[in-house]
Amino acid sequence: MKKYISAILINALLLQFVGCYSQKEITYDEFYSLPKSEEITVETKSGETISLNEDSLHHDYVRWEKNENSITLYPQHLEKYSPTALIEKTDTVRYSKEDLSKIYVDEYDESKTITAIVVPVAIVALILIIAVISYGGPNVDW
């Protein structure tokens, strides 16, 4: 039973690494109309890349909100309060719509998924066919 579970997990891991998602560039207006739960990458005109992602519990890595004409980030960091204590500080960084050069959203890519499944299955089938033929499998006249 453990072998079957391992085989399923290995294939799932392969699909995860192949990346069945592609980044699609969208406009700010499309971004504004998306639900907040999307994983978004924003590039500013100054060359900075900002990832607006959530963890598996739906908490933002960086708190942020979008407005009709801007994105506001609330990054947190620790600041020295006394020689033995740190306090958590929140900054406010605002990027206007004009400050952003590109916005990318992760989109499901069916062709990558099919390729990630079909190619390994075809390789395994080919190896099995070669093994059967070379080790005296059924008497087949080719």
Side-chain angles (χ1 to χ4, degrees), residues 19-135:
C20 299
Y21 289 85
S22 297
Q23 284 194 329
K24 174 186 172 188
E25 187 174 348
I26 60 173
T27 65
Y28 187 85
D29 294 330
E30 291 171 324
F31 164 68
Y32 183 69
S33 66
L34 287 174
K36 189 176 178 179
S37 62
E38 298 289 331
E39 292 190 14
I40 308 225
T41 303
V42 177
E43 291 182 12
T44 64
K45 290 186 178 176
S46 64
E48 186 178 1
T49 301
I50 305 163
S51 294
L52 305 175
N53 299 333
E54 294 181 343
D55 64 13
S56 61
L57 299 175
H58 299 292
H59 294 101
D60 296 333
Y61 286 116
V62 174
R63 284 189 326 112
W64 60 280
E65 62 183 32
K66 56 186 171 182
N67 304 318
E68 194 170 343
N69 294 315
S70 66
I71 298 174
T72 305
L73 306 175
Y74 304 100
Q76 296 178 337
H77 64 279
L78 295 175
E79 193 172 281
K80 193 172 187 176
Y81 178 69
S82 69
T84 59
L86 298 173
I87 59 171
E88 193 172 272
K89 289 283 194 169
T90 302
D91 295 330
T92 302
V93 181
R94 185 177 311 255
Y95 293 97
S96 72
K97 183 175 168 178
E98 289 77 29
D99 293 336
L100 307 176
S101 63
K102 296 179 183 176
I103 301 172
Y104 297 102
V105 64
D106 287 342
E107 182 177 72
Y108 177 72
D109 190 344
E110 188 174 314
S111 63
K112 280 186 177 181
T113 304
I114 291 171
T115 303
I117 293 170
V118 169
V119 170
V121 168
I123 290 171
V124 169
L126 185 62
I127 290 171
L128 289 174
I129 291 170
I130 292 171
V132 167
I133 292 172
S134 63
Y135 291 114

